[in-house]
Amino acid sequence: ETGVTQTPRHLVMGMTNKKSLKCEQHLGHNAMYWYKQSAKKPLELMFVYNFKEQTENNSVPSRFSPECPNSSHLFLHLHTLQPEDSALYLCASSPSGGEADTQYFGPGTRLTVL
Amino acid sequence: GQNIDQPTEMTATEGAIVQINCTYQTSGFNGLFWYQQHAGEAPTFLSYNVLDGLEEKGRFSSFLSRSKGYSYLLLKELQMKDSASYLCAVRDSNYQLIWGAGTKLIIKP
């Protein structure tokens, strides 16, 4: 399999549930990202990992918890979410997080919080 | 604050040419990206401009003027499959990507 894959593609959860989103990249990249995409709004960067180390955390609520066990895998653990957290969650990877980096995206997980 | 502006929606005719504009105000500039995103799919990389001028790639071209804080994406010989959202993003002085909200392009036969 090539590129960036994300599972599940769709997720419906209640506010008291705990779930995890998974991202895997097959590009040999060293940087991985989580974004939130809401309708008609710009992409919001949530977390950045570079060589498995978290380098950015853009004031994301603690109900979102990232995990990066290695440079190919990235998880987003979800618990006690709110309905306003419903959105498309995109994972991306890039070679190094450096100056001329281009990010490559997965297809996203469409999350609905009831 | 940092801001990227692009039109919310545009409509064009199959076979025609369309220009999607992007203006930005950011703290520093380290390159501008254009991505295409079909509904329900991943954004895919189209172009990268860091110097002023026009970059041509097949039917798609991207232009940058750093002094004006302005870019455009030019799509020629439009095809129905070009119906998608087009996202403009600028890398600022901290190498963070600042994203626009995207322009939804509708192609009519």
Side-chain angles (χ1 to χ4, degrees):
Chain A
E1 198 162 5
T2 59
V4 182
T5 58
Q6 291 186 242
T7 54
R9 294 294 310 276
H10 300 272
L11 178 62
V12 179
M13 59 187 289
M15 290 191 285
T16 58
N17 291 159
K18 286 185 180 181
K19 296 287 184 183
S20 295
L21 310 184
K22 179 183 176 182
C23 175
E24 185 173 359
Q25 58 95 1
H26 309 268
L27 300 169
H29 289 168
N30 293 304
M32 295 188 78
Y33 310 78
W34 278 117
Y35 283 93
K36 177 183 179 183
Q37 187 176 36
S38 303
K40 299 184 179 180
K41 289 186 177 179
L43 288 178
E44 298 174 47
L45 179 65
M46 300 175 72
F47 300 104
V48 180
Y49 279 82
N50 212 343
F51 292 91
K52 299 187 298 177
E53 297 296 319
Q54 185 175 307
T55 58
E56 291 285 342
N57 174 351
N58 284 358
S59 303
V60 179
S62 59
R63 58 185 183 269
F64 295 92
S65 173
E67 178 190 359
C68 188
N70 55 61
S71 58
S72 297
H73 294 85
L74 186 64
F75 294 89
L76 188 62
H77 304 299
L78 316 171
H79 66 98
T80 59
L81 294 191
Q82 305 298 311
E84 60 264 29
D85 296 323
S86 297
L88 182 67
Y89 288 84
L90 291 165
C91 173
S93 72
S94 68
S96 65
E99 180 177 335
D101 245 14
T102 297
Q103 294 181 18
Y104 296 87
F105 286 83
T109 295
R110 173 68 61 186
L111 174 67
T112 303
V113 181
L114 301 176
Chain B
Q2 308 206 87
N3 195 49
I4 308 285
D5 285 315
Q6 47 181 136
T8 303
E9 188 173 298
M10 299 181 72
T11 302
T13 305
E14 190 176 16
I17 299 173
V18 71
Q19 178 175 308
I20 302 174
N21 295 325
C22 171
T23 57
Y24 62 90
Q25 301 91 39
T26 56
S27 55
F29 177 86
N30 282 299
L32 185 144
F33 295 81
W34 284 97
Y35 280 79
Q36 179 191 61
Q37 186 178 23
H38 286 100
E41 296 184 16
T44 55
F45 170 74
L46 288 177
S47 68
Y48 171 69
N49 294 68
V50 67
L51 299 176
D52 290 350
L54 188 68
E55 295 275 346
E56 296 186 75
K57 200 183 284 187
R59 293 188 299 113
F60 292 8
S61 303
S62 56
F63 172 83
L64 174 67
S65 169
R66 287 171 296 170
S67 62
K68 295 181 180 178
Y70 168 69
S71 172
Y72 67 73
L73 182 69
L74 191 70
L75 291 74
K76 302 177 184 176
E77 301 168 18
L78 285 170
Q79 301 175 11
M80 297 304 292
K81 67 178 182 180
D82 298 329
S83 291
S85 289
Y86 292 85
L87 311 180
C88 174
V90 171
R91 179 169 281 143
D92 68 9
S93 56
N94 294 319
Y95 296 99
Q96 281 242 22
L97 274 182
I98 311 301
W99 293 84
T103 298
K104 182 178 181 180
L105 178 63
I106 299 168
I107 309 297
K108 295 186 174 179

